[in-house]
Amino acid sequence: MRTGKTIFWVLLMSLVASVAGAQEKSTVPGEPLAPGQIVIFGNVSPGMSLNSAIVLLGVPDKIKVVRGTSADRDSIEITYARHGLVMRAMSGGSQIEGIEVRPTFKGTFKSESAIKLGVKYEMLIGEYGLPTSLTSQMMRYPKRGLYFQLNNDRLLSAKTYANGTKLMDANLMNP
């Protein structure tokens, strides 16, 4: 329990220092992105640095340490409720390993048709091709690290992961 608390406080202090340092170094003054300005695989994507994500999205609403099956599988969740996003990174890591797009997300996905939540699943197939697996609730594109959750044939939410991530959440997406 003490290890988890220690990791949490070290990560929190690192994030706060990173935001302060990044804001000082920023050459473009301004506010973080508005919810509708976020583009998944555009200005926000797995593999981007934690510093870039925090500068782009602002101060997180919540940071949570997630214990893994071993110390090298521990991760953190950075929640941006106002953006409808949860960013995931490995503990001690410096980049975003996974992004969860929640039903409250107002942005788009980088695509020819500017895909938004609520589109019919056929639009996703038109953009990304046939999924590796398709059920009434899930479309899986594991080679792309991309997973779409459906409700009544419409896009409800999504998750995407960096290639080769050790996140437990990513492993659970491919039962």
Side-chain angles (χ1 to χ4, degrees):
M1 186 64 145
R2 271 182 46 189
T3 304
K5 285 182 181 178
T6 303
I7 290 172
F8 172 77
W9 286 111
V10 168
L11 289 171
L12 180 61
M13 297 311 290
S14 298
L15 286 171
V16 169
S18 299
V19 170
Q23 286 176 343
E24 287 176 14
K25 295 177 188 175
S26 178
T27 57
V28 180
E31 295 295 313
L33 289 178
Q37 297 174 314
I38 298 168
V39 181
I40 304 297
F41 304 122
N43 54 10
V44 174
S45 62
M48 73 185 299
S49 73
L50 278 169
N51 288 347
S52 298
I54 292 169
V55 169
L56 196 64
L57 300 171
V59 177
D61 297 307
K62 182 173 137 183
I63 299 173
K64 176 180 161 186
V65 175
V66 178
R67 296 291 295 175
T69 53
S70 60
D72 68 329
R73 299 282 180 161
D74 291 348
S75 63
I76 58 170
E77 286 183 2
I78 305 165
T79 302
Y80 288 95
R82 67 190 171 280
H83 293 300
L85 292 174
V86 175
M87 311 292 240
R88 291 186 171 85
M90 298 305 294
S91 293
S94 62
Q95 69 179 7
I96 299 297
E97 299 261 342
I99 300 172
E100 179 180 342
V101 178
R102 293 193 166 171
T104 56
F105 179 68
K106 301 292 184 227
T108 61
F109 291 82
K110 185 178 181 182
S111 63
E112 290 181 20
S113 47
I115 291 174
K116 291 185 172 193
L117 293 183
V119 301
K120 292 196 68 96
Y121 78 95
E122 292 94 348
M123 190 173 189
L124 298 170
I125 291 173
E127 184 67 37
Y128 299 106
L130 290 173
T132 301
S133 71
L134 172 65
T135 68
S136 62
Q137 297 171 335
M138 182 69 68
M139 294 175 74
R140 289 183 175 88
Y141 295 89
K143 290 181 182 175
R144 294 178 184 225
L146 188 56
Y147 305 87
F148 295 113
Q149 185 177 358
L150 306 171
N151 184 22
N152 294 326
D153 297 334
R154 296 194 174 273
L155 179 58
L156 176 66
S157 65
K159 292 184 179 186
T160 183
Y161 301 97
N163 288 335
T165 185
K166 291 183 178 182
L167 285 171
M168 279 185 26
D169 190 58
N171 292 332
L172 294 174
M173 293 306 296
N174 294 306

